[in-house]
């Protein structure tokens, strides 16, 4: 297991296998949603895409929750057709919005517009149906330190990280990515009640170490914002 002097803002859960960690994360998220539903009519959950979360989605979807009272959205979306294998909405529909969680109310980000910029106002309007702030947020991270679609090489990154800008979602065009993205912004993400960072692999642990070694520049590694605010890390080799 990695021997790290964790900052007080990071609660690490380190496992031996991806399956073990996916199960522990599913238990934790279900517990947080149950707590939210004990005090309010609806709970809100934002999930990230990518390759890491599939086993987590498949374990979470059958947790015994009143899923009809849970609003689910994405932390970000690639601006591709919903049938594309790159679509995060497709990923959720195939691996999470099944079983018990089929009853959840899903609010997607992709809109019927050619560009993410043109679709952003409709996505912003769709997201306003959620009860903000988010109760539960599950983030991933790339080896460039991006999270959601807050990419350091996106021209829009400063605006997306600006706590005073009013939008909850924003179109970003990272030079490193083949597609435009729509991402929840700092404003939408930073006030979530409970945040998990779900990582798999030694490479991601190395990136996390680099992010924690010098927490100064959030713009350089946007994950630093959430490491500083506080999160629950779920990592396996
Ligand atoms: O749409 C996306 O790609 C995600 O939201 C993104 O932020 C992802 O969480 C990281 O890129 C990690 O992706 P992997 O799990 O594939 O490493």
């Amino acid at each position: 297991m990695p021997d790290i002097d964790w900052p007080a803002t990071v609660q690490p859960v380190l496992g031996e296998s991806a399956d073990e960690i996916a199960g522990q994360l599913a238990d934790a998220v279900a517990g947080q949603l149950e707590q939210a539903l004990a005090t309010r009519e609806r709970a809100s959950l934002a999930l990230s895409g990518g390759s890491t979360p599939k086993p987590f989605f498949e374990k979470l979807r059958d947790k015994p929750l009143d899923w009809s009272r849970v609003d689910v959205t994405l932390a970000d979306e690639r601006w591709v057709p919903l049938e594309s294998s790159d679509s995060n909405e497709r990923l959720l529909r195939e691996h999470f919005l099944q079983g018990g969680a089929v009853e959840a109310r899903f609010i997607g980000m992709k809109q019927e517009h050619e560009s993410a910029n043109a679709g952003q106002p409709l996505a912003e309007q769709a997201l306003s149906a959620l009860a903000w702030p988010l109760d539960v947020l599950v983030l991933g991270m790339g080896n460039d330190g991006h999270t959601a679609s807050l990419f350091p090489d996106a021209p829009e990154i400063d605006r997306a990280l600006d706590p005073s800008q009013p939008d909850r979602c924003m179109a970003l065009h990272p030079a490193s990515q083949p597609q435009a993205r729509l991402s929840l912004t700092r404003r939408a993400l930073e006030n979530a009640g409970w945040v998990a960072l779900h990582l798999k692999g030694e490479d991601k642990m190395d990136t996390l170490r680099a992010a924690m070694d010098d927490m100064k520049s959030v713009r350089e590694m946007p994950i630093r914002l959430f490491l500083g605010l506080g999160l629950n890390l779920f990592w396996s080799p």
Side-chain angles (χ1 to χ4, degrees):
M1 278 299 144
D3 177 19
I4 293 177
D5 181 17
W6 298 100
T9 53
V10 175
Q11 302 301 318
V13 176
L14 311 178
E16 298 288 343
S17 74
D19 194 60
E20 173 200 348
I21 283 297
Q24 291 191 38
L25 178 55
D27 289 344
V29 166
Q32 291 296 323
L33 291 172
E34 277 172 342
Q35 277 183 39
L37 290 172
T39 57
R40 277 195 310 289
E41 186 45 39
R42 299 194 70 78
S44 54
L45 167 66
L47 297 169
S48 292
S51 58
T52 304
K54 284 180 193 170
F56 156 61
F57 291 161
E58 291 168 357
K59 294 177 186 295
L60 178 62
R61 70 190 186 194
D62 288 324
K63 289 293 178 189
L65 277 176
D66 184 355
W67 285 104
S68 66
R69 293 171 55 207
V70 179
D71 294 329
V72 178
T73 192
L74 286 161
D76 66 328
E77 181 59 285
R78 296 84 176 275
W79 207 257
V80 295
L82 294 181
E83 57 274 8
S84 163
S85 58
D86 287 334
S87 164
N88 283 340
E89 177 166 336
R90 176 178 167 183
L91 178 76
L92 255 63
R93 289 193 184 283
E94 291 181 351
H95 296 278
F96 177 60
L97 297 168
Q98 309 267 341
V102 78
E103 297 298 321
R105 179 172 69 160
F106 176 66
I107 296 170
M109 298 181 97
K110 180 68 172 59
Q111 306 295 327
E112 286 301 316
H113 278 281
E114 273 308 300
S115 74
N117 280 321
Q120 186 279 340
L122 274 178
E124 187 75 22
Q125 186 182 355
L127 289 167
S128 67
L130 281 164
W132 299 89
L134 295 166
D135 290 300
V136 179
L137 168 64
V138 182
L139 293 172
M141 181 190 72
N143 283 321
D144 58 357
H146 84 260
T147 190
S149 278
L150 302 175
F151 283 84
D153 66 342
E156 305 89 350
I157 187 63
D158 289 326
R159 200 157 52 87
L161 289 172
D162 179 352
S164 65
Q165 75 75 30
D167 291 331
R168 290 194 178 97
C169 72
M170 189 177 289
L172 291 101
H173 300 80
S176 59
Q177 301 303 308
Q179 310 111 355
R181 301 284 187 110
L182 207 62
S183 181
L184 292 185
T185 58
R186 174 175 180 162
R187 175 191 175 214
L189 293 166
E190 70 178 344
N191 297 316
W194 187 87
V195 183
L197 176 60
H198 185 197
L199 303 179
K200 177 181 181 299
E202 297 297 345
D203 60 327
K204 296 291 179 76
M205 184 54 76
D206 292 343
T207 301
L208 193 61
R209 279 194 187 90
M212 294 189 295
D213 280 352
D214 169 9
M215 291 281 278
K216 282 190 291 291
S217 171
V218 168
R219 189 193 191 289
E220 182 187 281
M221 296 185 86
I223 192 62
R224 287 173 172 156
L225 170 64
F226 302 93
L227 289 167
L229 288 170
L231 57 74
N232 301 274
L233 170 68
F234 289 79
W235 175 86
S236 68

